[in-house]
Amino acid sequence: MSSKFPLAKLTFLIAILTAVGQMTQTMYVPSIGQMAQEFRVNLPCYKL
């Protein structure tokens, strides 16, 4: 790793990527029931 990319920037990048992953899960999981209705599948089948 070069000295032009300090540890603080790398730490910030990892934190942002982690936050984005958590945010997408927070938006996706509550909508599973609605998506199952929209695609006309039962919920246990949709979780496969």
Side-chain angles (χ1 to χ4, degrees):
M1 190 172 286
S2 77
S3 61
K4 294 180 183 180
F5 199 67
L7 184 60
K9 287 184 181 180
L10 180 61
T11 304
F12 180 74
L13 177 64
I14 291 172
I16 292 296
L17 290 174
T18 302
V20 168
Q22 292 295 322
M23 184 179 65
T24 56
Q25 280 185 332
T26 302
M27 291 186 299
Y28 174 74
V29 171
S31 64
I32 288 177
Q34 180 65 33
M35 287 189 287
Q37 288 177 353
E38 195 68 32
F39 291 117
R40 294 185 178 96
V41 296
N42 58 11
L43 199 54
C45 178
Y46 189 77
K47 287 185 178 182
L48 292 175

